[in-house]
Structure formats: C-alpha cells, structure tokens
Amino acid sequence: LVWQSRLRMLVACVAATTELLLLAGLPEDSRLIALPAAPLVHLATTLYVAGATFVASHASRHRAIPGWMVSGIVVGDVAYIFALTIAASSPAYYGRVLILAFFALHLTTFYFARGRGVAVLALTTVGYAALAAFAILQGAPLRWEEELWSVGAFLLAGTVVLVEHGSLRTRLTNMLLTDPLTGCVNRR
C-alpha cells in the first residue's frame, strides 16, 4: 500500500489543482452548498493526503495493514470524490460522483477484493441518493426519476464488475491449482 498511498496523494493533488483552476471560471451562485469552494477543496485534499500519508508510514513500518485501515482508505476514496464534486459542481452535474466512483469501485475490487468493492458500491449509492435528495429539497432542478435511473445504471454496472472480478479470481485460482493439459492438481 505504500506505492498506492503515494499515487493517491499525487492524484488528489492533481485533482484539487484542476478543480481550483476550474473554479476560477464558475460563478459562486451555481453551486448548492453556500461554503466557499476553494477552502472546501483544500480541506478535503489536506485530510485525504494526511490519511494516505498515515497509511503509507504505517505500511512501511509494520509491513502489514489492519483491515480497519483498508476500510478507511476505501471510505476516504468515496468521501473525497463526493467532496470535490460537491465543492466544484452545480447539482446538475452531481452525476460525476457516479462516474468517478466507478473508477474507485474497479480499483478497490481489483486490489482489495469483492467485499470492499461492495462497500464502495453501497456507500456511493446511498451517498448519491442522499445528495440528490438534499439537492431536490434545496430547489435544484433535478428529477427523482432521472437520478434513480442514474443510480440504477451505476448499480447494474457495478454489480457486473463485482461478479466478473470474482469469476476471474476463481478461474485464475483454478488455473494455478490444476494442470491445464491433464486436469491434475499441481504440486507446486
């Protein structure tokens, strides 16, 4: 996880810089949250980088990461996606959360297995539904039917990723354990 933490810090800094540059041309009244966007982006990035630094230092010292820390990484990824999107986007573009979370879902499933992928899928789905509900209550021009359709598409695509990844792991395990020519068990 040491190299992943460094990569997470790099991606977070590039994303934050890009968001801040894009914010320069975005009118203040187009966002739902009344907080100034630049401090929110700065705060979210600082917390995310601090978490990644903590994980990297723990991993390099102990050579092992406890399960709760991996879960914290996954929750941090999803929270960071939400924070940046809320800070720099108007409610009409909150669907970006689902697109970015799909990348997080794929990478989480690949590196941390299916269980943590399910957590990303669930957190994103519940978080997006809550975000859409809040936006609609605040008078944003969103329609529940459209938002539910987007969440449904995300759930369907995410479920396919989770199922196929689990199937791939099973097939790879079987290839390692059995000889493909004879079907006998490998003794390695």
Side-chain angles (χ1 to χ4, degrees):
L1 280 177
V2 174
W3 72 270
Q4 280 187 8
S5 293
R6 290 185 185 130
L7 184 62
R8 286 172 198 281
M9 288 184 259
L10 176 66
V11 168
C13 290
V14 168
T17 302
T18 303
E19 290 264 342
L20 291 172
L21 289 173
L22 291 173
L23 281 173
L26 187 66
E28 275 298 312
D29 61 346
S30 67
R31 288 183 308 279
L32 184 65
I33 305 292
L35 294 172
L40 185 58
V41 169
H42 184 268
L43 176 66
T45 304
T46 301
L47 291 174
Y48 188 76
V49 168
T53 303
F54 175 74
V55 168
S57 67
H58 187 279
S60 64
R61 278 182 300 180
H62 299 288
R63 301 286 182 216
I65 298 289
W68 66 267
M69 199 175 286
V70 174
S71 297
I73 291 168
V74 170
V75 170
D77 289 347
V78 174
Y80 189 65
I81 289 169
F82 272 89
L84 287 187
T85 304
I86 291 168
S89 300
S90 64
Y93 298 104
Y94 282 169
R96 293 173 180 165
V97 165
L98 300 176
I99 296 167
L100 295 172
F102 192 76
F103 289 114
L105 170 69
H106 177 69
L107 293 172
T108 299
T109 304
F110 185 77
Y111 288 110
F112 301 125
R114 193 184 304 184
R116 300 264 170 31
V118 169
V120 169
L121 191 65
L123 285 170
T124 303
T125 302
V126 170
Y128 187 77
L131 180 62
F134 179 73
I136 290 170
L137 287 174
Q138 296 297 316
L142 301 177
R143 292 183 27 214
W144 263 115
E145 305 86 36
E146 296 296 328
E147 300 310 312
L148 291 176
W149 194 94
S150 296
V151 168
F154 175 76
L155 279 170
L156 179 64
T159 302
V160 168
V161 166
L162 292 172
V163 168
E164 285 302 312
H165 180 74
S167 172
L168 175 66
R169 279 191 175 227
T170 303
R171 289 192 312 258
L172 288 174
T173 301
N174 287 338
M175 284 182 203
L176 286 172
L177 298 177
T178 59
D179 182 83
L181 183 62
T182 63
C184 297
V185 176
N186 283 334
R187 294 196 299 161
R188 292 187 245 166

